Amino acid sequence: PLGHLSGGEMRRAMIARALAQAPEIMLLDEPTASLDDEARRRICALMAELNAGEGLTLLWVTHDLEALPDGCTRIIRMRRGRIASDLAAAAAPDALFAPPANQSGGQP
């Protein structure tokens, strides 16, 4: 029964439900929020496997950069509804939080 599933199991069930539709692109909004480290690793590994093995495009919305799955190729940071940074994932993490060229300081 659904009520007996843990948070990680529930997230995996929702992902399975979405995957049953054979999407080409999947939007994941904070898919690892409130999960323990093991459940977070399992979700990230599953998404990385689907991306690499099945070619599934993932749009992963998160406040936690450590929650991104392996294989992430691009990170877009939003601020006040606008793109503040658009970098290859391999870029130095500090570059993500540098103020845009036309602004100074402020919180990300």
Side-chain angles (χ1 to χ4, degrees):
L2 231 44
H4 293 244
L5 298 178
S6 70
E9 291 168 335
M10 181 74 77
R11 301 246 169 135
R12 287 194 302 275
M14 288 188 285
I15 290 168
R17 181 178 176 195
L19 290 171
Q21 303 299 313
E24 293 179 26
I25 300 172
M26 210 166 152
L27 173 63
L28 300 132
D29 186 7
E30 299 283 359
T32 60
S34 303
L35 297 180
D36 62 35
D37 289 340
E38 178 59 26
R40 181 175 293 152
R41 279 191 293 276
R42 292 180 76 175
I43 294 287
C44 286
L46 172 63
M47 293 295 101
E49 180 181 323
L50 289 168
N51 175 255
E54 304 294 325
L56 179 64
T57 297
L58 303 172
L59 297 174
W60 190 288
V61 178
T62 186
H63 292 88
D64 181 5
L65 293 179
E66 292 182 20
L68 294 173
D70 290 340
C72 181
T73 58
R74 185 173 175 196
I75 298 173
I76 298 173
R77 183 177 64 97
M78 303 294 292
R79 180 176 180 179
R80 296 184 181 142
R82 295 178 185 234
I83 295 175
S85 303
D86 184 353
L87 302 169
D94 292 342
L96 284 172
F97 299 103
N102 61 353
Q103 291 183 338
S104 60
Q107 293 293 323

